[in-house]
Amino acid sequence: MLINFSIHNFGSIKGEQTLSFEADKSKHLDDYYVIETNGLRLLKLGLIYGANASGKTTILQAFQFLINTVLKPKEQKTELLNFEPFLFDSDTPRQNTVFTIDFLQNDIRYVYEIELNKKFIAKENLSYSKKITDSKKTIKIFERTTDPEKQLANVVFSEKIDVIFLKTLISNTLWNNAVLSGFLKTNIALKALTDVTNWFKEYLNPVIYTRTELDGFITKRIDNCEINKTIVLQILKNADFNLSDIIINEEEEDIPQRFLDLLEKEKNIEEDKLQELKSRKKITRVSLEFEHTIGNNKYSLPFKRESQGTRRYYGFAGLLYLLIKKSTLFLIDELESSLHPDLFQHFLLSFLVNSKKSQLLATTHNREILNNKDIFRNDAILIADKDNVECATELYSLADFDTSVIRDTSNIYNAYKIGKLGGTPNLRSYYIDIENETE
């Protein structure tokens, strides 16, 4: 599970900002919001509020960049790392970017830190805590440095390991690749690195944006029995969608030779999958339909003809199943997109009531939930705001305000709406003067 994630010099973030899933001492809604494990209290949910261009999405992008850095290493040392540091400053473009992620995996607390620029990874280290409630007392697993002139990485482990393993690992760790990436290419077992890379692969998920189409992801898992169709259908019914069945049709089609040639030329597919397609010369096409029962009659409607809200919530219903069934973290940008405010709240409450070991982090502009103190905790509400001097993102939670600003009886909705908590746009006049415009 995620404990803390710190970001320094990335996108709109200049100074270090920390997103924390550590619950405060409040017992408000503990049964629904807090997971207790070996003395550590972790939140299930984090909702990031803020004006447009305040840096909400940047925080999710930082997660995605770190995931890609670990799981999708560069093939050549000449390739640049795809990100931008904080640009509204004369110094930060030349300074390194730093990420620190603190998490639980197999009842062990790991802290992973990586420092990099667009050319190479400068430093990297991994440590763990025997006592998971104290991240300061850590034991180092490895430390990596890079010689920029020789473009070579050096990796030092705290405990003695096999010399051949170390040489192989270093040879697989290009100067623009993480040690964890090098480990994924190395055919040798090491429990700590296996734990950490598995956490990145299995617990963290790619960011879900408003343009992300989830239907293929969910339908494939229903078809493979990873997701229970009956439960997904029940979730949709609970959300007042008039559906009686989810129909998945499969049919095989011949693959045009020119398409295979194009795949081979552009290398858009893994070699083993390309060879499989060449040998079969067929591809399975999946179509999705929703069945509606009106009176005594049943009608099937192609998925693409359903409303945008229905299509989006079908994806969310599948995510909700996975959040309840597994231990996982989903990152969603603009969670409220295409959803009625009541449906937005219904999704969150369904997650909080039913999930036991998963987490959800989402950005949102939906303020209505802030009108009801009975369904949210202060430490689960995060605000991204830009300071007036450097225009850099600052991240804080409602729990950071003292009682002079927020009391248990406060109407948080009104306080946020009038700008008392920050994270709102500074709007000016409605009038636009075009009478004196010059061509």
Side-chain angles (χ1 to χ4, degrees), residues 67-73 165 168-169 172-173 178-188 193-201:
I67 293 170
N68 291 344
T69 300
V70 171
L71 301 182
K72 297 181 180 180
F165 163 70
T168 306
L169 178 63
N172 285 331
T173 305
V179 171
L180 298 179
S181 304
F183 174 73
L184 290 173
K185 299 178 181 179
T186 306
N187 190 29
I188 299 176
L193 299 194
T194 300
D195 273 356
V196 173
T197 51
N198 282 346
W199 189 81
F200 276 94
K201 286 188 294 184

Side-chain angles (χ1 to χ4, degrees), residues 316-382:
F316 280 14
L319 297 184
L320 187 55
Y321 176 87
L322 294 173
L323 285 164
I324 296 169
K325 191 73 175 178
K326 300 173 61 180
S327 176
T328 191
L329 167 64
F330 281 109
L331 309 160
I332 305 177
D333 194 29
E334 296 191 18
L335 176 61
E336 78 284 359
S337 178
S338 299
L339 301 184
H340 187 278
D342 290 348
L343 190 54
F344 169 89
Q345 181 172 302
H346 179 82
F347 173 79
L348 290 180
L349 292 179
S350 297
F351 162 67
L352 290 169
V353 168
N354 294 284
S355 69
K356 304 299 180 187
K357 50 188 177 180
S358 289
Q359 294 171 300
L360 176 65
L361 177 66
T363 69
T364 183
H365 292 287
N366 182 296
R367 298 184 300 199
E368 293 194 13
I369 192 176
L370 301 178
N371 230 346
N372 189 349
K373 195 71 169 63
D374 291 333
I375 61 176
F376 75 87
R377 286 173 56 105
N378 285 352
D379 52 2
I381 303 299
L382 309 168

